[in-house]
């Protein structure tokens, strides 16, 4: 059994989650500046994408990094914003109406309760979203595996091998595990990703992990010595 816990509203560990920061900033924008315009295809309009890229300062997707690849920014050029947009709709924190994205009553309430906002984002990102390229994820087993494997640190290749039995050269499966498991946990602030080289990533649990997750019946893990 795994339990998610809402961090306290003033918990500094919430700052470790780029997704929580982006959601909070977007909800604040909706409260203070009003509805956000949508394109005919219901994507967020370019003026907001430009604002979001700067305001979110999302690791790996900063303004400089995005403009290095794009002359102008549309929503699909900023993948975390695409995910956030979908989550806001799925969690009913915002809704589309008459060509604009509007905040809902639930969105206004959770904007005032940051810990509950994080829980809502986590539940929808991990438990409610489908995975087109992969069998449904059994998150209880996966999170238990991450809890052990990332305690002292694990590479994406090592984790894919231990979780799925993937071979060292099964790059497609390693990519799926990264996109559907490791990256979402990083976006929630539960894991920290660092690069060891051009092709390998290294993951460790953050201080938000023990604050937000408990594992019933699990043995205590050894302390980690940091050098």
């Amino acid at each position: 059994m795994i339990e998610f816990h809402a961090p306290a509203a003033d918990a500094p560990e919430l700052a470790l989650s780029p997704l929580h920061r982006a959601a909070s900033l977007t909800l604040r924008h909706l409260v203070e500046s009003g509805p956000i315009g949508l394109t005919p295809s219901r994507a967020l309009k370019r003026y907001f994408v430009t604002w979001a890229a700067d305001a979110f300062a999302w690791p790996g997707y900063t303004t400089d990094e995005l403009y290095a690849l794009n002359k102008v920014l549309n929503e699909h050029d900023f993948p975390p914003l695409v995910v956030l947009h979908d989550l806001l709709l799925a969690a009913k924190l915002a809704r589309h109406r008459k060509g604009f994205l509007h905040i809902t009553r639930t969105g206004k309430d959770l904007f005032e309760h940051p810990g509950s906002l994080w829980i809502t984002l986590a539940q929808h990102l991990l438990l409610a979203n489908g995975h087109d390229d992969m069998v449904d994820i059994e998150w209880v087993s996966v999170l238990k595996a991450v809890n052990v494997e990332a305690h002292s640190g694990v590479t994406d290749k090592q984790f894919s091998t231990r979780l799925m039995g993937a071979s060292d050269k099964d790059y497609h499966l390693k990519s799926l595990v990264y996109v559907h498991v490791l990256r979402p946990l990083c976006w929630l602030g539960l894991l920290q990703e660092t690069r060891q080289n051009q092709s390998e990533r290294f993951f460790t649990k953050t201080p938000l992990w023990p604050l937000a997750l408990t594992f019933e019946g699990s043995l205590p893990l050894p302390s980690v010595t940091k050098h």
Side-chain angles (χ1 to χ4, degrees), residues 20 23-24 27 91-93 103-121 124:
H20 183 270
S24 298
L27 293 175
K92 301 189 185 323
L93 305 180
I103 194 169
T104 64
R105 184 175 299 177
T106 300
K108 290 178 181 177
D109 179 60
L110 289 183
F111 172 63
E112 301 291 339
H113 298 87
S116 297
L117 174 61
W118 184 88
I119 279 283
T120 299
L121 295 170
H124 279 81

Side-chain angles (χ1 to χ4, degrees), residues 9-198:
D10 59 350
E13 292 84 356
L14 282 173
L16 298 169
S17 171
L19 182 63
H20 183 270
R21 180 173 64 251
S24 298
L25 288 168
T26 301
L27 293 175
R28 179 182 296 278
H29 191 284
L30 287 165
V31 168
E32 296 180 351
S33 301
I36 299 166
L38 300 172
T39 68
S41 62
R42 293 193 160 193
L44 297 166
K45 283 195 172 179
R46 192 176 291 165
Y47 75 87
F48 180 78
V49 181
T50 302
W51 175 86
D54 184 56
F56 294 177
W58 197 295
Y61 298 93
T62 63
T63 301
D64 289 344
E65 289 166 311
L66 290 170
Y67 275 115
L69 300 173
N70 308 278
K71 290 185 178 180
V72 296
L73 295 182
N74 296 299
E75 182 179 331
H76 64 80
D77 298 317
F78 189 7
L81 183 58
V82 175
V83 172
L84 174 63
H85 189 178
D86 289 342
L87 283 175
L88 293 176
L89 296 175
K92 301 189 185 323
L93 305 180
R95 67 175 182 269
H96 291 169
R97 183 164 61 86
K98 296 182 178 179
F100 289 86
L101 181 72
H102 295 257
I103 194 169
T104 64
R105 184 175 299 177
T106 300
K108 290 178 181 177
D109 179 60
L110 289 183
F111 172 63
E112 301 291 339
H113 298 87
S116 297
L117 174 61
W118 184 88
I119 279 283
T120 299
L121 295 170
Q123 290 175 337
H124 279 81
L125 183 65
L126 301 183
L127 306 178
N129 278 4
H131 302 280
D132 297 335
D133 302 310
M134 197 174 180
V135 295
D136 288 339
I137 296 173
E138 213 292 294
W139 277 105
V140 172
S141 298
V142 168
L143 289 175
K144 283 183 176 179
V146 176
N147 187 48
V148 174
E149 299 294 345
H151 186 63
S152 56
V154 66
T155 67
D156 50 348
K157 181 170 68 175
Q158 290 169 338
F159 186 72
S160 299
T161 300
R162 294 167 190 174
L163 181 68
M164 307 290 291
S167 70
D168 288 352
K169 296 184 179 180
D170 195 340
Y171 302 113
H172 178 63
L173 190 54
K174 186 177 86 167
S175 176
L176 290 177
V177 170
Y178 173 72
V179 169
H180 294 300
V181 176
L182 297 171
R183 187 175 69 182
L185 294 176
C186 290
W187 286 7
L188 287 170
L190 294 169
L191 290 181
Q192 180 180 10
E193 174 187 334
T194 55
R195 287 276 185 164
Q196 288 196 318
N197 52 51
Q198 288 291 335

